[in-house]
C-alpha cells in the first residue's frame, strides 16, 4: 500500500512539473509573438488579444496603463518606421518571462519627442512580463536610453579614455 501511495504521489509530482513546463513554454510563445507581431511588426490591434485589460507597465517613477504603453510604442514606430525588436533570449519561471531583446532601426520620423536625425540605432534591453491566464498583465523594462541618444547625435559620445585628470580637477597632474 505504501508503494502504491508513493507511486501516486510521484505521478502527481511529475504531472505538476510537466504542466508547469508546458505553461512556461506557452508563456514564452506568447512573449515571442508579442515581440515579433506587435512590438516589432506594429500590429497594434493585437494588444487586446495579448495584454490583460488591467495591464500595468511599472516604470521607474510611475506606472502606466495599456493605453499609455501602446501610445509610447506607436511613438517609437513613428520615430523608427523600420524598427525590428528581436527577442534574443527568453527565460520563463512560474508566471514570469524575461526577454533580452535587441532593437534596430533608422530614426527617419518624429515620435516620443525625438527629432528625425536619419541615424541608425542599435539598442538592447530587458523586459520582464508577468503572464496570467494567457495574457500579459505586468511589465518591467530597462534599456540604455543614454546610448540611444548618443547614437542619434543628440548627446555627445563618451570619450575613449574617459575623463582625464585635467578635465576632472581643472589642474594638471604632475
Amino acid at each position: 500500500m505504501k508503494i502504491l501511495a508513493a507511486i501516486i504521489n510521484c505521478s502527481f509530482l511529475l504531472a505538476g512539473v510537466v504542466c508547469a513546463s508546458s505553461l512556461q513554454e506557452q508563456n514564452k510563445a506568447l512573449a515571442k509573438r508579442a515581440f515579433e507581431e506587435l512590438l516589432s511588426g506594429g500590429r497594434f490591434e493585437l494588444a487586446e488579444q495579448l495584454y490583460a485589460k488591467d495591464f500595468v507597465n511599472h516604470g521607474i517613477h510611475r506606472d502606466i496603463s495599456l493605453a499609455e504603453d501602446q501610445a509610447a510604442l506607436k511613438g517609437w514606430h513613428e520615430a523608427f518606421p523600420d524598427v525590428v525588436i528581436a527577442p534574443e533570449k527568453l527565460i520563463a519561471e512560474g508566471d514570469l518571462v524575461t526577454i533580452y531583446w535587441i532593437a534596430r532601426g533608422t530614426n527617419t520620423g518624429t515620435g516620443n519627442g525625438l527629432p528625425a536625425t536619419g541615424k541608425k540605432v542599435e539598442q538592447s534591453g530587458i523586459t520582464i512580463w508577468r503572464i496570467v491566464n494567457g495574457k500579459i498583465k505586468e511589465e518591467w523594462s530597462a534599456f540604455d536610453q543614454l546610448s540611444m541618444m548618443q547614437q542619434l547625435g543628440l548627446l555627445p559620445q563618451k570619450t575613449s579614455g574617459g575623463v582625464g585628470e585635467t578635465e576632472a580637477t581643472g589642474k594638471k597632474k604632475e
Side-chain angles (χ1 to χ4, degrees), residues 11 23 47 65 84 101 118 127:
S11 296
L23 179 61
S65 68
V84 174
W101 50 264
T127 296

Side-chain angles (χ1 to χ4, degrees), residues 56-69:
V56 176
N57 184 334
H58 300 285
I60 294 173
H61 301 291
R62 70 180 187 93
D63 294 343
I64 63 172
S65 68
L66 180 58
E68 291 173 292
D69 185 73

